[in-house]
Amino acid sequence: TITIARICMVPFFILFMEIGGFYNSVLALVVFCAASITDMLDGQIARRNKTVTSLGIFLDPIADKLLISAAFIYFVDVPMLGIAAWMVIIIIAREFIITGLRSIAAVRNVMIPADKSGKFKTLSQIIVIIVTMVILIAYEAFFEFAGLTPDALRLYDFGSYATLSLIMGKMPFWATIVAVMFTIYSGVNYILKYRKLFSENG
């Protein structure tokens, strides 16, 4: 039920991001944080009550992928964030590859549990999305309440604003680079660990 509720939050997140503006971006962040919290609760409840189901195992990663992919795809469409398309392609490609690996494993009755590298990958992506959304909200707050565009912020007379603008301009790119590194490491780790599945006799 919690997993399905998280999937249902995705259209609302997309809607708020699509409309844009300060208040809608705040609502999108609230929805994303709520979905991330339900992700943690959902796993804890399932383990505590020993109610891990096949449907839950199937839907849980889909819910995560939908939400995280939607956020990163929207970020690419916001030039001032500086997040490049190739970064998002790597993040989404990893999910396709590991989903394919899990499909091969399922055919051979092999269970591939989430490992630490996968959890660190997901955590790093969630942190990057939250930080980037906070920066996006800050940009929109400057524009909506002070009439300052990102370019105006960089050229503003006060040094503190210029410094803040520099940090806001660079942080999403470098934070996403870190998430991409965790993503690549996690993907390679899974492939190496279960490489026997790719052989006909594996």
Side-chain angles (χ1 to χ4, degrees):
T1 301
I2 295 172
T3 303
I4 291 171
R6 191 159 79 257
I7 291 173
C8 291
M9 290 182 192
V10 176
F12 291 99
F13 174 80
I14 292 171
L15 176 65
F16 293 135
M17 289 294 286
E18 184 67 26
I19 297 171
F22 174 75
Y23 295 106
N24 287 307
S25 294
V26 170
L27 288 173
L29 177 59
V30 169
V31 170
F32 183 84
C33 289
S36 299
I37 290 168
T38 62
D39 184 22
M40 291 185 290
L41 286 176
D42 160 0
Q44 288 175 357
I45 292 170
R47 286 188 294 272
R48 186 175 66 240
N49 297 336
K50 296 181 180 178
T51 52
V52 177
T53 64
S54 298
L55 182 62
I57 291 169
F58 171 71
L59 288 179
D60 186 65
I62 288 177
D64 295 339
K65 290 174 178 61
L66 281 173
L67 190 64
I68 288 173
S69 298
F72 277 116
I73 289 168
Y74 267 100
F75 291 160
V76 172
D77 200 38
V78 183
M80 62 189 174
L81 295 176
I83 295 175
W86 64 264
M87 298 174 173
V88 179
I89 290 169
I90 289 174
I91 288 170
I92 295 175
R94 182 268 182 200
E95 303 306 336
F96 276 111
I97 292 166
I98 301 307
T99 298
L101 181 64
R102 289 183 187 279
S103 299
I104 295 171
V107 169
R108 300 186 179 186
N109 295 317
V110 176
M111 185 68 171
I112 300 182
D115 67 2
K116 287 184 178 179
S117 70
K119 290 176 182 176
F120 280 127
K121 179 269 302 180
T122 302
L123 181 61
S124 70
Q125 290 175 354
I126 289 172
I127 290 170
V128 168
I129 290 169
I130 291 172
V131 168
T132 302
M133 290 194 70
V134 168
I135 289 171
L136 180 61
I137 289 167
Y139 273 128
E140 289 172 342
F142 275 116
F143 179 71
E144 190 151 335
F145 302 114
L148 293 172
T149 64
D151 289 335
L153 271 174
R154 283 191 287 272
L155 299 172
Y156 208 76
D157 290 338
F158 297 103
S160 58
Y161 276 145
T163 303
L164 179 61
S165 176
L166 180 65
I167 293 170
M168 287 166 59
K170 299 295 183 184
M171 188 175 288
F173 175 86
W174 290 108
T176 306
I177 284 287
V178 173
V180 167
M181 290 171 66
F182 275 115
T183 299
I184 293 171
Y185 172 76
S186 171
V188 170
N189 183 61
Y190 270 107
I191 290 169
L192 291 178
K193 190 182 289 186
Y194 297 99
R195 60 186 178 276
K196 290 183 179 179
L197 292 172
F198 292 106
S199 68
E200 290 301 321
N201 299 320

